[in-house]
Amino acid sequence: MSEDTWLQNYDAACRLSQEIAENIHERNRQQRTGGNPAKINMTLRASLQKLKQNIAQLRESLMRASSSRRIMQAEADRRQNLVDDLATREKRLNATFKGDIKESEPSRSTLMADVSGATGAEKANPWLINESEETRGLTFGEIKQQQQHIIEAQDAGLDALATVISRQKMMGQEIGNELDEQNEIIDDLAHLVDKTDGKIRNETRRVKLVETKSASCGMLVVIVLLLIAIVVVAVWPK
């Protein structure tokens, strides 16, 4: 159900509530004058049932339009208030029809005030009740176009936000890839350090072994020299 259709259905429901109020007044007049209101009672029961169904359909279509963001939240709240007022009117009409409350001229005027025309020839549009300055004097098509522009502006803002988020996501992915590469370089450096450390330890052991061997060779040389000296002294003629 489009926005235009919703407003037209609401307008039709308000006109139906006016007809019901007029028929209740006529039924009561016939009862006071001794007439037979059986036929008009049947019409009233059918009309009241139809009004109740129309209100339920208005609520359902409004809920769908609001959840799917076809209308702004402020607009949805205003329409919800209109439907609630119409539902209150329907309950009062039901109570008046059943005789739970007595019809009086002020109450009848209240029931019909929202939809009575100034000249009586044409009914006023109930959509103008509590209308804001933004939509005052606009037709249904102009109101729909205004709402569409607002929704398009919101969609454009959401698209821009989505673009920014997508760009940030790409930057995050690039940073993640860079970190992965840096981690690989760090792992390679750690592996190289481990290999270098192992080589240094091996070379240190070799140096110590050479030092040990050098010390042993030095001792052997000294011993040999001492033995030679002793032999020379022993065989040297006195």
Side-chain angles (χ1 to χ4, degrees), residues 143-158:
I143 292 174
K144 178 182 178 181
Q145 186 176 13
Q146 183 186 71
Q147 292 297 319
Q148 188 64 33
H149 287 329
I150 295 174
I151 292 173
E152 288 175 357
Q154 280 191 337
D155 290 341
L158 291 174

Side-chain angles (χ1 to χ4, degrees), residues 44-62:
L44 280 170
R45 289 190 183 93
S47 298
L48 286 168
Q49 182 63 28
K50 183 179 179 181
L51 178 60
K52 184 176 181 180
Q53 293 174 352
N54 289 349
I55 293 173
Q57 291 173 358
L58 286 170
R59 288 189 189 278
E60 182 181 355
S61 60
L62 177 59

Side-chain angles (χ1 to χ4, degrees), residues 12-47:
C14 287
R15 288 197 299 269
L16 178 60
S17 69
Q18 176 196 357
E19 293 174 3
I20 293 172
E22 292 174 347
N23 287 335
I24 290 176
H25 180 70
E26 176 62 21
R27 189 274 311 264
N28 293 345
R29 188 190 66 79
Q30 291 182 13
Q31 287 178 339
R32 289 193 300 269
T33 59
N36 184 8
K39 183 176 180 180
I40 197 169
N41 276 336
M42 291 178 60
T43 302
L44 280 170
R45 289 190 183 93
S47 298

